[in-house]
Amino acid sequence: MAWRAALRSKAVIPALLSCSSHGRLCASPTFITQRNNSTSPKIKVDYDQTTGVAVMHMQSPPVNSLSLDFLTELCISLEKLEMDKGCRGLIITSNQPKVFSAGLDILEMYGKSPEHCGEFWKVVQEMWLKLYGSNMVTIAAINGSSPAGGCLLSLTCDYRIMADNPLYSIGLNETQLGIVAPFWFKETMVNTVGHRNTEVALQLGLLYKPAEALKIGLVDQLVPEDQVFSVATQTMTKWLTIPEHARQITKSMMRNPTIDKLRTNREADIQNFVSFITKESIQKSLRMYMEMLKQRKA
Amino acid sequence: MAWRAALRSKAVIPALLSCSSHGRLCASPTFITQRNNSTSPKIKVDYDQTTGVAVMHMQSPPVNSLSLDFLTELCISLEKLEMDKGCRGLIITSNQPKVFSAGLDILEMYGKSPEHCGEFWKVVQEMWLKLYGSNMVTIAAINGSSPAGGCLLSLTCDYRIMADNPLYSIGLNETQLGIVAPFWFKETMVNTVGHRNTEVALQLGLLYKPAEALKIGLVDQLVPEDQVFSVATQTMTKWLTIPEHARQITKSMMRNPTIDKLRTNREADIQNFVSFITKESIQKSLRMYMEMLKQRKA
Amino acid sequence: MAWRAALRSKAVIPALLSCSSHGRLCASPTFITQRNNSTSPKIKVDYDQTTGVAVMHMQSPPVNSLSLDFLTELCISLEKLEMDKGCRGLIITSNQPKVFSAGLDILEMYGKSPEHCGEFWKVVQEMWLKLYGSNMVTIAAINGSSPAGGCLLSLTCDYRIMADNPLYSIGLNETQLGIVAPFWFKETMVNTVGHRNTEVALQLGLLYKPAEALKIGLVDQLVPEDQVFSVATQTMTKWLTIPEHARQITKSMMRNPTIDKLRTNREADIQNFVSFITKESIQKSLRMYMEMLKQRKA
């Protein structure tokens, strides 16, 4: 499971507990402070104008949770790069040890107002719309575990290179936490690994070891951990030799039907998400989550 | 072919011939009596309330043909289990030797009135709608050959475990008999093995040996014949650990688009089926069937 | 790349250069004459009434380019065979060395009037509509490279047998030339190799060696070069044992949704193509093409 690796780094638990102000759960103030430190960017963007390739280093301790702040920052960065005609490729990777991204920040949904939850969901949608439909070549350099929203983030890219480390895993494991991946998570998954693999993966909330992920096509390539980034760079060079306009139109043709489904259903999708929350399923999900962590530690 | 195994058990031929009252074919009265013996149930349901798992043992000699009576009984059993909140999983298996199910009972279409054929087709639809959309975890323990409607029955389940016996086979072999699998058979197949595999399988009416079926994803797992049921039980235990509500919604999300297509086209689909019959294709299909059997015996 | 093999045969370059009357490019008059020699048919059709199988030998030197004349001839031949009830199977193969078909004749788009381009595109559509929806069993005996439109031609068939020669390749490599495969090329590809393989293949304009093509399902079978035709004939015999009417309805059921999308969008698709041309992308494409050839020769 994705969390096993994260747990070993002793960093994930405080983050998961940092919702103490809303509930009975015990929290580590140090990490709360760290989380709220919005003066330092959660994403470091290196843009090399000579190659036309930008790199997003996710650096939001401890596990690059996709919080409202994180996603807002990601969307703003994306928009800037997208508008820069010289920027043709984007590599997304993690600066945190052993984790690519742990997925949506459950604290944005726990004990929050429907308005906040709706706001949060809107930016999750925005991230996916921007990335899945990006004109740039996008490559995920997956150098750590990548469950749930972290997996979705990877799936939005054009190509996925993962560290061949059996301690890591990747997958849409929502059902394991008692929650449901929305239709556009599902469709992105179907577009990548097909209907049947998705049906089993989503029903069971499966997290795949790198070798299994490669086998079903959830990632495209496995490389030794220290080569993830260099191989991503080489792969980018190859993709950038393709005539740009033709590649962009081709990409749109493949992805727009899925994108259009969300575009025309954003409000209903937000309502759906918010109503799900008010039904206390998130509270339940958080309890299950803590339960799972306890068992894993034991 | 599926029938090879069945033929060896010497049981299939009388069933196939039991339409003597309608045609020129020679029949075995013993088996006709056996078929009409509706006092003994065609499906034995064992429901263990402690585990929440029900098992349907199909026991309609000789080959668990899906007759009007059989399917009606299956639908009633299903409805009862579905309404019992405690029943969370269903395993479907066969008590007949060497055959899971031989598929739709061709005698329900041979020489029958359009009303009868329509009635029959309606219950075939009903079976599929109930099973493909079931809230329970459904597992097919395929302990014998499973052609045509028997394959469809397997495909409605969430998971398929088949006996690793090269004498058995599985597939939608309708075209081999001169008939056509309707659109929802096709879509269930596409959802399981993809468009291209389905195109070849349905055009050629292919029956797959277990190893080939596993390769294209028509079944999920092969196990030694005497372990089919125990592995199904273990697999069920695993699936039942998944939070129920989240799993059910996820399953609906994957399957409802296909289910809705039939729901909104049931009457046209019945008309289609009935008009096909009146064109004497069933008579032709039965002749081809007998021909095939003769050749197999030789 | 597909052209490597063709280049070795020294035949491809004159064809590519034969647009000299429209541009700055140097041409070989001999080959121009050969191209325009419409008195000899570009496709030799052998129809064996005893077997009910027709064979189309493409024989348009040097590389069976799909020109307006070629495609018109192909459509007329197809129509004749389709109307002959006795003709049940069609094998398509090449009489040119090392090339199955090099795809659409770029000269039909280079420096031509919008009317001509529209006319040309209409017959490309017509070819696909007729072949993808053919009632006959269609088998591609791919005895050479098959890029772009040549790959599309193969994909329209029910089954693809390719020469196991690593010098050959097959794929929809349009983006490599700066052009875009239209939606129905894309859908035919998705129906054959799935969404994800198509996404990568079309974005990168990949040409696959036979072994790779087999792996993703772009072809169904590899055989030694000298057996391509005999295996195609044997395969045809097998397919023709299937009851015809049932097979045809099944094929329609699988392919009509895709066919209907083009049928209801033909005019828009033509406009799309023509407007793309007027944007000088074809000129650019031809320059890139020549560039590619120069590099390959070096």
Side-chain angles (χ1 to χ4, degrees), chain A residues 6 10 19 22 67 69 100 126 133 164 169 179 190 213 215 217 231 251-252 255-256 268:
Chain A
K10 314 264 179 192
C19 54
H22 309 291
S67 65
D69 284 354
F100 179 72
E126 199 61 36
D164 193 7
S169 61
I179 53 177
V190 169
K215 203 174 160 193
V231 172
K251 181 173 175 176
S252 302
R255 299 192 167 191
N256 276 359

Side-chain angles (χ1 to χ4, degrees), chain B residues 174-183 186 190 194-196 198-200 202-206 276 284 288, chain C residues 132 137 157-160 190-193 217 220 238-239 242-243 245-247 249-251 253-255 257-258:
Chain B
E174 277 77 355
T175 53
Q176 290 267 9
L177 307 175
I179 53 178
V180 177
F183 80 90
K186 180 260 289 181
V190 169
H195 191 280
R196 176 60 186 160
T198 301
E199 190 174 68
V200 175
L202 293 203
Q203 277 210 59
L204 294 177
L206 294 180
F276 186 68
K284 191 178 151 200
M288 295 185 58
Chain C
Y132 201 56
V137 173
C157 291
D158 291 312
Y159 199 77
R160 284 161 286 287
V190 169
N191 289 348
T192 311
V193 301
D220 297 297
K238 190 177 111 191
W239 280 67
I242 307 298
H245 190 59
R247 191 196 51 73
I249 297 176
T250 302
K251 180 173 175 177
M253 185 172 61
M254 295 302 301
R255 298 190 166 192
T258 311

Side-chain angles (χ1 to χ4, degrees), chain A residues 128-135 158 183-184 187-188 191 247-265, chain C residues 183 186-187 195 199 203:
Chain A
W128 180 84
L129 287 168
K130 278 189 168 26
L131 269 175
Y132 201 57
S134 173
N135 268 326
D158 291 313
F183 81 91
W184 41 288
E187 303 232 339
T188 314
N191 288 348
R247 190 195 52 72
Q248 287 168 350
I249 297 176
T250 302
K251 181 173 175 176
S252 302
M253 185 172 59
M254 295 301 301
R255 299 192 167 191
N256 276 359
T258 310
I259 288 171
D260 289 346
K261 276 194 210 163
L262 179 57
R263 267 201 213 291
T264 56
N265 283 292
Chain C
F183 81 90
K186 182 259 290 181
E187 302 232 340
H195 190 280
E199 190 173 68
Q203 277 209 60

Side-chain angles (χ1 to χ4, degrees), chain A residues 263-298:
Chain A
R263 267 201 213 291
T264 56
N265 283 292
R266 282 188 79 166
E267 201 46 52
D269 185 59
I270 291 171
Q271 288 313 318
N272 204 28
F273 173 73
V274 171
S275 75
F276 187 68
I277 305 241
T278 59
K279 282 175 200 147
E280 309 194 316
S281 29
I282 288 298
Q283 287 87 331
K284 191 177 151 200
S285 149
L286 194 57
R287 277 197 300 275
M288 294 185 57
Y289 204 18
M290 303 310 300
E291 201 65 39
M292 193 171 85
L293 288 176
K294 252 190 268 173
Q295 287 166 7
R296 296 264 151 76
K297 268 188 84 177

